[in-house]
Amino acid sequence: ITLVYGLGFGMVLVLFIVPSLMAMQGDVGVQVRSAWRGLTSTSRGISTPTRIAAFGTAGLFAALVAPVILTGAKWAAIPLPIAGVGMAIGMFLIATLLWLLAIYIVMEFRMARVRKAA
């Protein structure tokens, strides 16, 4: 019985789990290379907003989540009994979404002006 279950579990791992993990690794690799290309680009039109987005997101993380994780204390911004790590991460995700949306909107207006001038 142990041998049969071991073979069945190994088959599931080899046929389903390992290929799925390899596909996810490839997708993450593509996104990492794309982000690196955006950060190290010599074109100001690409690298500047990417750097602003990256440093702004890192700053939001440092301001909202890092103090809660490092000290283990409740989140000071909201004095609620549930204001722990989950609340800090939730606020970080919302603030990051708004930050990236603002950068996107500004860049769209900027690109529309460039297209109109050309």
Side-chain angles (χ1 to χ4, degrees), residues 4-27:
V4 170
Y5 278 107
L7 287 172
F9 183 70
M11 180 188 70
V12 168
L13 278 176
V14 168
L15 293 178
F16 297 113
I17 306 298
V18 172
S20 299
L21 290 174
M22 290 177 69
M24 286 188 285
Q25 179 184 7
D27 292 344

Side-chain angles (χ1 to χ4, degrees), residues 61-76 83-86 88-89 92:
F61 185 85
L64 298 175
V65 180
V68 177
I69 292 174
L70 293 176
T71 63
K74 293 183 185 256
W75 195 40
V85 175
I89 291 174
F92 165 72

Side-chain angles (χ1 to χ4, degrees), residues 30-97:
V30 167
Q31 294 205 355
V32 167
R33 283 190 301 275
S34 176
W36 184 253
R37 198 169 41 247
L39 286 171
T40 59
S41 174
T42 57
S43 169
R44 280 194 62 201
I46 295 173
S47 65
T48 302
T50 305
R51 288 180 184 144
I52 291 171
F55 290 130
T57 302
L60 285 172
F61 185 85
L64 298 175
V65 180
V68 177
I69 292 174
L70 293 176
T71 63
K74 293 183 185 256
W75 195 40
I78 300 177
L80 295 174
I82 59 167
V85 175
M87 181 66 78
I89 291 174
M91 291 303 290
F92 165 72
L93 291 175
I94 291 169
T96 301
L97 176 70

Side-chain angles (χ1 to χ4, degrees), residues 49-50 52-53 56-57 60 93-111:
T50 305
I52 291 171
T57 302
L60 285 172
L93 291 175
I94 291 169
T96 301
L97 176 70
L98 294 174
W99 172 247
L100 295 178
L101 186 63
I103 292 172
Y104 177 77
I105 290 170
V106 167
M107 289 308 297
E108 275 298 316
F109 282 129
R110 185 172 160 200
M111 292 304 294

